[in-house]
């Protein structure tokens, strides 16, 4: 009897986590803009899914998973933003007449289009509540009632914040720089890219610190140079992969092209260094949606901004 119950619980757990994985890109669109960073946004998503894995046995209704994940991610993002002392207070205005129709008018669609086109980093110039509501409404097209439930507000309050946020976002976009500035490539990243493109896997392994860690979403963290060294063995079996130095959100990263002739990179890697050796590798191969909204500035001959990858 218990075997049958265990099997049923296992099947339900598998179903819930499959649904959670399907929600991952949408959850990232929200978290990235809330944090103003596609990298920090993925950290929030990873944390929310880890918490879901812990709480999955207590979740009775799979239809509630989406709202639960967004609430967990929202609260986690707020905790991180508070720790940076970036949360801004915002006075309430009277509610504006903001539409919530299934077929919005032309003005409504224009406002949504502006939010979708807005660079992820610019959202941080909005107060957090305005930021959250604009993302939910104009980027993810959530109903006002659902936004109000998530944020514990009235619908009229949501409308007020939405109207003010849209006006402020238009001002931000009107004065924003069109293209991020290019920056030089560091010697360590240039060496890593050169060795990789030459397929010098032993040379890359020699760069690993003894306690190096490798993080790939959806996979356990690898620790230690011997284990992480297998990372290069996997890439050794992949033809055509080509790396290019790049910058993203004031971080020096590496753009990964699965074929050298591709117009845009498929995903990124992010490395940290200690005393000239690699102490941490973050490989985004399995979460490619991270670069979908990234302001990625490529170095050298392919220098330029890649929006909407």
């Amino acid at each position: 009897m218990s075997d049958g119950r265990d099997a049923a619980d296992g099947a339900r757990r598998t179903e819930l986590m499959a649904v959670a994985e399907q929600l991952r890109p949408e959850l990232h669109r929200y978290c990235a803009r809330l944090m103003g960073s596609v990298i920090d946004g993925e950290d929030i998503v990873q944390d929310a899914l880890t918490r879901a894995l812990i709480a999955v046995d207590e979740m009775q209704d799979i239809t509630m998973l989406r709202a639960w994940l967004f609430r967990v991610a929202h609260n986690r993002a707020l905790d991180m933003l508070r720790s940076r002392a970036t949360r801004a207070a915002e006075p309430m205005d009277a509610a504006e007449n903001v539409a919530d129709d299934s077929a919005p008018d032309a003005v409504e669609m224009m406002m949504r289009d502006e939010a979708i086109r807005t660079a992820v980093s610019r959202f941080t110039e909005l107060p957090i509540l305005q930021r959250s509501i604009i993302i939910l409404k104009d980027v993810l097209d959530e109903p006002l009632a659902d936004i109000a439930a998530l944020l514990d507000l009235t619908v009229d309050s949501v409308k007020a914040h939405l109207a003010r946020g849209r006006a402020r976002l238009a001002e931000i976009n009107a004065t924003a720089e069109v293209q991020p500035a290019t920056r030089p490539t560091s010697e360590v990243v240039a060496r890593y890219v050169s060795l990789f493109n030459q397929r010098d896997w032993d040379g890359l392994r020699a760069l690993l610190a003894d306690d190096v860690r490798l993080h790939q979403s959806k996979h356990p963290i690898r620790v230690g140079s011997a284990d992480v060294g297998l990372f290069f063995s996997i890439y050794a079996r992949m033809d055509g992969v080509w790396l290019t130095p790049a910058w993203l959100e004031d971080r020096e990263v590496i753009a990964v092209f699965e074929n050298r002739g591709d117009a845009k990179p498929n995903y990124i890697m992010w490395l940290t260094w200690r005393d000239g050796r690699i102490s941490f590798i973050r490989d985004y191969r399995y979460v490619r949606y991270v670069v979908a909204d990234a302001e990625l500035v490529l170095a050298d001959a392919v220098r330029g901004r890649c929006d909407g990858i």
Side-chain angles (χ1 to χ4, degrees), residues 131-150:
R131 191 187 315 172
S132 180
I133 289 170
I134 283 185
I135 299 165
L136 289 167
K137 181 60 183 171
D138 289 347
V139 177
L140 300 178
D141 198 21
E142 294 290 302
L144 292 177
D146 290 357
I147 298 172
L150 173 65

Side-chain angles (χ1 to χ4, degrees), residues 8-84:
D9 289 345
R12 178 176 162 277
R13 184 184 185 89
T14 300
E15 181 185 10
L16 282 169
M17 294 316 299
V19 172
E21 284 296 329
Q22 291 174 0
L23 292 171
R24 194 170 187 140
E26 186 179 14
L27 196 61
H28 180 262
R29 294 191 81 192
Y30 176 68
C31 294
R33 287 166 174 80
L34 196 60
M35 298 300 298
S37 163
V38 296
I39 290 177
D40 291 345
E42 176 59 18
D43 289 342
I44 298 293
V45 170
Q46 189 72 31
D47 185 73
L49 292 178
T50 299
R51 294 179 186 222
L53 188 63
I54 295 171
V56 70
D57 293 331
E58 301 174 7
M59 196 168 297
Q60 300 301 318
D61 187 357
I62 195 170
T63 63
M64 300 299 294
L65 181 60
R66 184 179 186 278
W68 184 89
L69 277 173
F70 269 86
R71 182 173 292 277
V72 168
H74 175 83
N75 290 336
R76 178 59 180 148
L78 290 190
D79 288 343
M80 287 189 67
L81 290 168
R82 287 191 191 104
S83 71
R84 298 175 185 175

Side-chain angles (χ1 to χ4, degrees), residues 161-175:
H161 287 295
L162 182 59
R164 296 185 64 208
R166 283 172 169 172
R168 176 64 184 134
L169 197 62
E171 294 174 358
I172 292 168
N173 285 335
T175 59

